[in-house]
Amino acid sequence: MRQALPDVMKAALCRAPGAALELHDIPVPTPGPGQVLVKLESCGVCHSDLHLRDGDENLPEEFYPLVLGHEGIGHVVQVGPDTPCAPAIGRRVGLPWLYDTCLACKPCRTGFETFCPDQTARGVQHHGAFAEYALSEVIFTVEIPDGIDPITGAPLLCAGLTAWSALRKTRLEAGSNVMIIGAGGLGQYAILIAKARGARVLVVDQDEAKLASARQLGADVTVAAGPDAGARIKQSGGADVTLNFAPSPAVWTTIEAAVNPMSDIVAVALVHDPVDLSMMWLIDGGHRVFGSSVGTRQEMIDFLNFAAAHPLNVDVQTVPLSQANAALDQLAQGTVGGRLCIDFSRGTHRAGRITKGDLE
């Protein structure tokens, strides 16, 4: 039975690449076959949203106007027709980055769907969760365990999952030395996950406040970024596993100097510029260098169950939907110590009006 819903909803809309987000009234979407409609409680604010707002991802003009947001949590309020196995009305679910994939290519068939060449993302090819309601494909909708709070849980859907998946791809064992470069939100989740898995954690960052936060979260060694950072990490035992969350090619010299033989080096931060990787260094050291992007549905299920049993106490600051653009500005200024999250219970201000045709 269709639940009575409003005709319009408030959304933080990006009208064009490089344009500030503006609060508008837009039509509430209707779920089609295989979809559910979710009423949002929260949505994390991610650096990827900043890149998309600022036009750094070179999206086609026709993708706009666009609703960003891919760390959403809310309740199912409507199920589309011909939709078997849908979560029950009222069930709390998560709306992550990965909107859907082809399901048929080799990466999809072998558990690596985040590398599907035909994947689409929430807040990119499809409207995201910076809105009061959002659509989700049932087979890519993840149920949220009861132990997960919607505010602190929202950033787990991308930031936390990205750290979890990156670590899962490595040869991490209890007692391994894990070097984390960049102690922002993603790095902080990585610290907590690595510590919970028995690792010794070494953190590099240029911000002393973030290094202090890393120590509070359990980091064993913290080192200020700079020309001697790699050598200082090596003197402290070196890195068996490295996760890079710093969006700069300059960190490569630190990595080269810090790692132990046969190390795993995972690129996570969005760095477009090349680094000076020596093939002889790679061969002589027996290192593995690879990339990792968000995480699969199964990884998310596993991670959320882990997080429900092992609370990840990263600081999460909340803002109302009307302040979504200001939240992105905070990210751009580098003034966010942990994560930001839109709390839909905090209300909104007056909004402009956008018709369905304007969004197509």
Side-chain angles (χ1 to χ4, degrees):
M1 179 180 295
R2 179 183 172 89
Q3 181 174 334
L5 296 170
D7 293 327
V8 298
M9 64 179 180
K10 289 181 171 56
L13 199 65
C14 186
R15 298 297 300 268
L21 304 191
E22 299 173 349
L23 198 66
H24 287 279
D25 286 331
I26 68 174
V28 173
T30 301
Q35 296 180 324
V36 292
L37 181 68
V38 177
K39 179 175 173 54
L40 274 299
E41 296 177 272
S42 61
C43 185
V45 182
C46 182
H47 261 95
S48 297
D49 298 311
L50 175 62
H51 294 310
L52 290 162
R53 182 199 70 173
D54 291 350
D56 297 336
E57 299 304 312
N58 298 315
L59 292 185
E61 290 280 348
E62 57 266 26
F63 278 34
Y64 296 84
L66 180 64
V67 179
L68 305 180
H70 55 271
E71 295 180 340
I73 290 180
H75 292 96
V76 174
V77 293
Q78 196 174 97
V79 177
D82 302 319
T83 304
C85 303
I89 298 293
R91 188 71 176 91
R92 179 175 281 154
V93 297
L95 279 62
W97 169 265
L98 196 62
Y99 188 88
D100 64 8
T101 71
C102 77
L103 300 176
C105 66
K106 184 175 180 179
C108 286
R109 293 196 307 268
T110 56
F112 295 94
E113 61 199 27
T114 55
F115 298 107
C116 172
D118 294 321
Q119 66 173 280
T120 63
R122 193 179 316 279
V124 184
Q125 292 91 349
H126 304 274
H127 290 306
F130 286 1
E132 293 179 303
Y133 295 87
L135 294 176
S136 188
E137 300 292 324
V138 164
I139 59 174
F140 283 88
T141 301
V142 180
E143 297 193 11
I144 303 296
D146 291 339
I148 300 291
D149 176 83
I151 298 297
T152 58
L156 301 181
L157 300 182
C158 178
L161 175 63
T162 298
W164 172 270
S165 181
L167 278 169
R168 182 178 174 273
K169 293 179 176 75
T170 70
R171 295 171 291 196
L172 171 64
E173 298 177 350
S176 296
N177 284 352
V178 175
M179 178 171 66
I180 294 167
I181 302 180
L186 276 78
Q188 291 177 19
Y189 287 117
I191 292 168
L192 292 167
I193 295 166
K195 291 296 294 184
R197 293 184 58 185
R200 181 170 174 263
V201 175
L202 307 91
V203 176
V204 178
D205 199 289
Q206 62 184 0
D207 186 334
E208 178 51 43
K210 290 181 179 177
L211 291 176
S213 295
R215 289 190 288 271
Q216 292 174 355
L217 293 173
D220 299 279
V221 175
T222 57
V223 172
D228 64 342
R232 292 179 62 189
I233 292 291
K234 196 60 176 287
Q235 291 167 3
S236 298
D240 304 310
V241 172
T242 297
L243 303 186
N244 179 43
F245 298 110
S248 169
V251 301
W252 186 252
T253 55
T254 295
I255 293 171
E256 282 189 323
V259 296
N260 293 325
M262 299 180 66
S263 71
D264 284 345
I265 301 162
V266 190
V268 182
L270 303 179
V271 181
H272 294 283
D273 296 328
V275 297
D276 187 17
L277 190 156
S278 163
M279 289 291 187
M280 287 308 301
W281 171 86
L282 195 64
I283 293 167
D284 289 342
H287 307 295
R288 298 196 309 170
V289 182
F290 53 92
S292 183
S293 175
V294 287
T296 66
R297 289 168 290 172
Q298 187 59 52
E299 286 176 325
M300 179 167 292
I301 292 168
D302 295 342
F303 173 53
L304 290 176
N305 287 331
F306 171 88
H310 304 82
L312 303 173
N313 296 317
V314 170
D315 180 56
V316 178
Q317 304 170 42
T318 65
V319 297
L321 178 62
S322 58
Q323 295 299 308
N325 192 71
L328 293 179
D329 287 341
Q330 281 186 262
L331 288 181
Q333 294 159 9
T335 58
V336 180
R339 300 297 290 183
L340 292 172
C341 183
I342 294 170
D343 180 354
F344 286 84
S345 71
R346 291 187 59 177
T348 56
H349 301 302
R350 291 182 60 187
R353 182 68 180 266
I354 300 291
T355 67
K356 184 176 181 180
D358 293 326
L359 295 172
E360 296 176 345

